[in-house]
Amino acid sequence: MRWLKSAALASLTLAMLPLQAILCSPQNSSFVHQKRYAMGTIFEIVIYDEDLPRADAAGRAALDEVIRLDGMMSNYKPESDLSRMNQTAHFQPVHIPRELYELIEESLFYSRHSNGHLAICVGPLVDLWTAALAGGPLPTAADLASARRCVGYQKIELIPPDRIQFHSDCMRLDLGAIGKGYAVDRAAETLNARGIHRAYIDAGGSTIYALGAAPGGNAWRVRLRDPSRKLGPEVMLINNSVSTSEQSAPSSLQGDAPGHIILPGTGKPLQTRYAISVTAPSATASDALSTTLLLLGPTKGTALVKTLDNVSAIWIDSDGQRTLVGDGVSFFLTGENRPIHLSPLKNRIAAISKAAKELLP
């Protein structure tokens, strides 16, 4: 897994109150703070618990789970389950781990409901633009046409309970738009199973899950990305997640190098002035939706959010214009010193959970 989104966003000023600000509060004396590198970014966990040895062991187990999943889903490691699948699943069914099967199945749910904008099969296109980001020539029209032939979620066939087949000779899956969120969820499940009910899990600043509430409060307060630097958006989390996506800006060394988020339809990097933050019950959902909704933009993205339960989103552009939509979450604009309450939406057609796979056409 290339984890391009993770690596790019890690360089931005994103998402959370600084960990040092959380940890240094006088009332926050019983905590464990651990971090580890995985999936192209830094995973950090802050745990509050009176039993510090238990918290320490739980944090290590949660990060061990992240490392295990990286080994399963990595495109960089030839021995990973994803790499082996990408080498052998062309025109013949192959067995894959059940959890990899379920993650691909959930990815296809978002692909269907976004008309293919979340495309876990963009690996060949990603390769072309990764080379360009590294200083190579820009892909030609012929290069893009050849790579686009390999793309299309309709060419992925899942065969219950644990087999997959590609109806393409050049398809290759890349779970970078959803796998990091899945790892955050599994870390939260590991903590909960070990009796930890108050923790903050951060994957590179772009995906965060809040387990329980912050010490001395009734939620975790999270700062969000604001390209305008005018609005100061924040959100309060408790047993839910927020993810932020933004097209990476060229650095002074890269000149006019393209961004890292690719439009599946054209094969070219997305051009947008927006950053988007999405809240959802799971980090898997918020991670997948933040990329999807950035690609869709506010108009089409709003229509998609209105079909989903317990999901909220805020788009902010570089001029401070914003679009909000969602269900039951309050975003706060500290620059305007007021909250924005999102009223519940009606006529849902899908729930954000693993059970949602039962709704697939």
Side-chain angles (χ1 to χ4, degrees):
M1 187 179 299
R2 287 161 181 80
W3 312 111
L4 285 180
K5 177 176 148 186
S6 308
L9 285 176
S11 65
L12 299 172
T13 304
L14 276 181
M16 58 182 291
L17 279 174
L19 279 175
Q20 289 303 314
I22 296 172
L23 300 181
C24 294
S25 173
Q27 63 186 354
N28 301 339
S29 57
S30 298
F31 68 86
V32 167
H33 173 210
Q34 296 180 0
K35 59 184 177 180
R36 209 174 301 178
Y37 182 83
M39 302 182 179
T41 193
I42 300 294
F43 279 73
E44 294 190 74
I45 298 178
V46 179
I47 300 169
Y48 289 91
D49 195 77
E50 293 302 320
D51 188 339
L52 291 183
R54 177 178 70 171
D56 183 71
R60 292 181 187 279
L63 290 173
D64 285 345
E65 176 69 357
V66 172
I67 297 298
R68 184 188 71 83
L69 291 170
D70 190 16
M72 182 183 74
M73 298 185 291
S74 173
N75 268 333
Y76 284 119
K77 300 173 182 178
E79 71 278 9
S80 75
D81 295 290
L82 184 70
S83 292
R84 289 197 296 266
M85 178 195 72
N86 280 334
Q87 294 165 5
T88 60
H90 304 91
F91 301 116
Q92 61 179 349
V94 298
H95 289 277
I96 58 176
R98 181 62 187 176
E99 55 195 333
L100 181 58
Y101 181 99
E102 291 178 350
L103 182 57
I104 294 171
E105 189 172 36
E106 189 158 357
S107 300
L108 293 179
F109 169 80
Y110 296 113
S111 294
R112 289 183 174 97
H113 284 80
S114 66
N115 195 28
H117 278 76
L118 180 70
I120 59 172
C121 50
V122 293
L125 288 168
V126 169
D127 286 344
L128 291 177
W129 292 106
T130 297
L133 280 167
L138 295 178
T140 65
D143 293 333
L144 292 176
S146 178
R148 287 178 61 199
R149 183 179 65 84
C150 310
V151 174
Y153 73 89
Q154 302 91 339
K155 300 174 185 178
I156 303 169
E157 181 184 3
L158 290 173
I159 305 167
D162 61 357
R163 293 189 299 163
I164 188 170
Q165 179 177 347
F166 299 155
H167 295 279
S168 164
D169 62 353
C170 55
M171 176 167 284
R172 190 170 68 258
L173 304 193
D174 186 327
L175 299 174
I178 192 171
K180 182 160 49 65
Y182 180 74
V184 169
D185 283 335
R186 292 299 296 268
E189 291 172 9
T190 301
L191 294 178
N192 192 61
R194 288 174 171 258
I196 302 300
H197 307 299
R198 179 174 291 179
Y200 190 94
I201 307 167
D202 173 22
S206 63
T207 294
I208 292 166
Y209 187 87
L211 188 62
N218 56 10
W220 295 89
R221 186 177 181 179
V222 180
R223 292 179 186 154
L224 305 174
R225 174 69 177 143
D226 177 9
S228 73
R229 300 185 180 182
K230 297 176 181 178
L231 303 179
E234 297 181 350
V235 70
M236 303 297 284
L237 298 180
I238 180 168
N239 295 324
N240 62 340
S241 176
V242 65
S243 293
T244 296
S245 285
E246 179 178 281
Q247 182 65 293
S248 55
S251 71
S252 57
L253 296 177
Q254 291 175 320
D256 293 327
H260 66 289
I261 298 177
I262 309 301
L263 278 165
T266 65
K268 297 180 180 181
L270 173 70
Q271 294 184 350
T272 181
R273 301 170 62 196
Y274 288 100
I276 182 171
S277 294
V278 181
T279 65
S282 75
T284 307
S286 69
D287 194 16
L289 284 168
S290 66
T291 301
T292 303
L293 295 175
L294 184 69
L295 287 163
L296 285 172
T299 301
K300 293 181 179 179
T302 293
L304 175 59
V305 173
K306 288 181 178 180
T307 71
L308 303 172
D309 283 323
N310 300 316
V311 172
S312 299
I314 179 170
W315 288 262
I316 301 176
D317 72 11
S318 54
D319 292 328
Q321 299 298 311
R322 73 258 188 193
T323 301
L324 296 102
V325 64
D327 183 11
V329 170
S330 294
F331 289 98
F332 294 81
L333 300 182
T334 59
E336 298 181 356
N337 196 30
R338 66 184 180 93
I340 299 177
H341 297 283
L342 299 178
S343 59
L345 297 167
K346 299 180 180 179
N347 301 319
R348 307 295 177 184
I349 64 169
I352 296 300
S353 69
K354 290 183 179 179
K357 61 192 177 187
E358 299 176 359
L359 301 175
L360 293 179

